[in-house]
Each structure stands twice: as structure tokens, then as C-alpha cells.
Amino acid sequence: MTVGILAAGAILAASPAFAQDHESNIKGASAWSKGNNATVSVKDTEADKHGVYARYFRHNNGGEKRLDNYAGEGTTTTSGSDAKHYVTQIKACVDIQWGADRCDGNWQLTED
């Protein structure tokens, strides 16, 4: 019985403390990280000829990262999976050519 309790504790300790679904939205873009937060996805939600991207951070894995999607309205791009360096913050953005990009005003946090 003790072995089973220790094994369950080890599994819980290896998981992100606050594994939750998080989504960031702005007119034209949606970005999310769900479940164990191993991946980031970004979807272009508007036929406006602008690409979209997700800005995000991973646990203990350097600085800010970016996932681009220039495939057009209705398409989704997903990052590679990395559960060890799970996503901790995410923000959806629209790439405005020759202008300032639009981003969700708030970071969506997946951990404290």
C-alpha cells in the first residue's frame, strides 16, 4: 500500500502545479494551452489578410517564445509538445503589417 501511495505522489509532483486550460483572445486571433500545457496553439479567426501569433513562456526554458500562423483564416498552428517545460503564460496577437501589432492586453497564466 505504501508503494502505491508513494508512486501516486511522485506522479503528482511531476505535473504542473496548476495544469489548467487557458485561452487568450483578441479580434482576429485565439491562442490556447490546455490539459498538461505541453503545447501552444494559435488560430487565425478573421479574413483580414493579417497573420497571427502566440507569445508564450515555458517553465524553466528561457525567455519569451513566439508561434506564428500565416496560413489564413480558420487555420491553426500548434507547437511541439514539451510537458517537462510546460507553458506558464500565453497571449494571442495579430501581426499588423506596417503598423503596431494587436495583442491581448493580459497574459493568461497557467501557474502562479
Side-chain angles (χ1 to χ4, degrees):
M1 185 66 146
T2 303
V3 173
I5 293 170
L6 290 174
I11 290 169
L12 290 174
S15 302
F18 296 94
Q20 302 175 19
D21 295 348
H22 288 279
E23 189 166 340
S24 172
N25 295 290
I26 191 164
K27 186 178 187 305
S30 180
W32 62 90
S33 183
K34 298 186 176 186
N36 67 357
N37 302 119
T39 63
V40 169
S41 295
V42 62
K43 181 175 184 175
D44 188 332
T45 61
E46 194 168 294
D48 57 7
K49 300 189 190 226
H50 296 300
V52 299
Y53 60 95
R55 295 171 54 191
Y56 65 101
F57 290 87
R58 288 188 176 273
H59 177 72
N60 289 335
N61 193 20
E64 185 176 320
K65 299 179 184 337
R66 177 173 162 153
L67 176 65
D68 294 305
N69 179 353
Y70 291 99
E73 180 193 15
T75 62
T76 300
T77 299
T78 300
S79 71
S81 181
D82 186 355
K84 179 180 177 185
H85 300 111
Y86 54 90
V87 176
T88 59
Q89 299 179 52
I90 189 168
K91 184 183 283 199
C93 299
V94 177
D95 187 354
I96 307 296
Q97 299 82 354
W98 313 109
D101 293 353
R102 283 193 323 262
C103 292
D104 181 0
N106 299 307
W107 284 100
Q108 299 303 312
L109 306 177
T110 59
E111 74 172 3
D112 282 339

